Amino acid sequence: MEKIEHIGIAVNSIQSAGNVYEKLLNTKVYKTEEVTSENVLTAFLQCGPNKIELLEATSDDSPIAKFIAKKGEGIHHIAFEVTDILAEMQRLKNEGFILLNDEPKRGADNKLVCFVHPKGVNGVLVELCESVASHTI
């Protein structure tokens, strides 16, 4: 794992939360994107070398809607940048971690992603992400 790529925050409204985080971080949302496979709308803010991803559900049955219904708005996941997502997925499987998907999926911000089950990571949902430009699936 190279570095923390971003922190994902589940929100009820990208518009409202975006305004709050723009003021907090003194920067603008630089990108919004819908990820239809996850039923989510995302917005990204850059803060120095770090990124914040705001996540708004686009349907009542999306993972974000379920998360907010259960826990309320707040930190949803921490994402780590990897150079080879397939190798990292295999390494984590070999270490006994449970992955939530068998193959990487296309995620927001031009990334391939895979999630690690929070039960094996002290209750934290972990996302692996690799730039699509560095890998083809």
Side-chain angles (χ1 to χ4, degrees):
M1 303 216 192
E2 301 293 318
K3 66 175 185 172
I4 294 173
E5 209 285 332
H6 67 267
I7 296 172
I9 301 174
V11 300
N12 287 315
S13 165
I14 289 267
Q15 181 71 36
S16 177
N19 291 337
V20 169
Y21 280 88
E22 285 180 340
K23 290 176 190 174
L24 177 71
L25 301 174
N26 195 30
T27 190
K28 296 289 184 188
V29 168
Y30 71 85
K31 179 180 189 177
T32 58
E33 180 180 351
E34 185 171 356
V35 181
T36 55
S37 63
E38 296 295 318
N39 296 315
V40 67
L41 179 64
T42 66
F44 288 90
L45 299 102
Q46 188 80 39
C47 182
N50 305 302
K51 290 191 283 188
I52 299 293
E53 178 187 34
L54 304 176
L55 303 142
E56 176 187 332
T58 58
S59 73
D60 291 339
D61 64 342
S62 78
I64 296 302
K66 292 175 186 176
F67 177 89
I68 289 174
K70 185 175 180 180
K71 297 185 179 184
E73 292 180 293
I75 294 177
H76 178 260
H77 68 270
I78 185 165
F80 293 93
E81 183 177 306
V82 299
T83 54
D84 184 338
I85 196 166
L86 294 173
E88 194 62 19
M89 289 171 67
Q90 188 59 54
R91 184 186 76 78
L92 291 175
K93 283 183 198 175
N94 293 344
E95 291 287 348
F97 292 95
I98 299 168
L99 304 182
L100 295 181
N101 40 304
D102 293 327
E103 296 291 329
K105 301 190 295 187
R106 293 236 179 224
D109 205 26
N110 204 32
K111 305 284 187 213
L112 292 176
V113 302
C114 174
F115 288 91
V116 181
H117 199 291
K119 287 183 181 176
V121 194
N122 303 93
V124 177
L125 181 62
V126 169
E127 178 183 11
L128 308 176
C129 54
E130 176 186 347
S131 293
V132 173
S134 66
H135 202 284
T136 56
I137 291 226

